[in-house]
Amino acid sequence: MPRSVLRFVAVILGLCAVGGFILGVRGAPERARLPGEAAGGGAPIQASDAQPLDDLVLTPSELAPEPKKEEEKPAEEAEQAPAPVEKAPQPAPPPKAPTPPPPEEDRVGDLIDGLTPPPEQPPY
């Protein structure tokens, strides 16, 4: 391409960049605001159904599950049926360490030993 065309394209790109910057500065608001804040600086929005967080926090007693109530059996049934004996859980055996693979033969050394040296060539 001729140099005059390249200069013309460069000038157009520069004007577009400067024009975009100027339009961005002119269109920006005077003062930054938070999301939900009115542009005119009006009163903040009041939520009628808002609750303080202290009411929403549960205490440990509220988090704990209720103990299960055992049904009372008549004395006759309790005497006839012996209580099942719970077996204590046995601890799991420790995991076995993986056995290392058996050492293999040194095959590289065998290959090197099997090579014959190249024949000597006379100097040129």
Side-chain angles (χ1 to χ4, degrees):
M1 285 178 114
R3 272 230 189 278
S4 61
V5 174
L6 291 177
R7 285 183 186 159
F8 180 72
V9 171
V11 169
I12 290 176
L13 287 175
L15 288 175
C16 287
V18 171
F21 180 76
I22 291 171
L23 290 176
V25 170
R26 287 187 61 203
E30 293 179 18
R31 183 178 153 262
R33 60 182 193 272
L34 297 173
E37 187 179 352
I45 300 172
Q46 296 295 328
S48 60
D49 61 342
Q51 296 178 353
L53 290 178
D54 295 337
D55 297 342
L56 299 175
V57 176
L58 298 176
T59 60
S61 62
E62 294 173 344
L63 293 175
E66 296 181 11
K68 295 181 181 179
K69 296 180 181 178
E70 295 182 14
E71 297 179 11
E72 296 181 18
K73 296 181 181 179
E76 296 173 2
E77 290 180 15
E79 292 175 4
Q80 291 176 359
V85 179
E86 294 183 19
K87 295 181 179 178
Q90 296 179 356
K96 296 180 180 177
T99 58
E104 297 181 12
E105 297 177 12
D106 184 19
R107 296 181 182 167
V108 175
D110 294 342
L111 290 175
I112 292 174
D113 291 341
L115 291 176
T116 56
E120 291 188 31
Q121 297 179 0
Y124 294 103

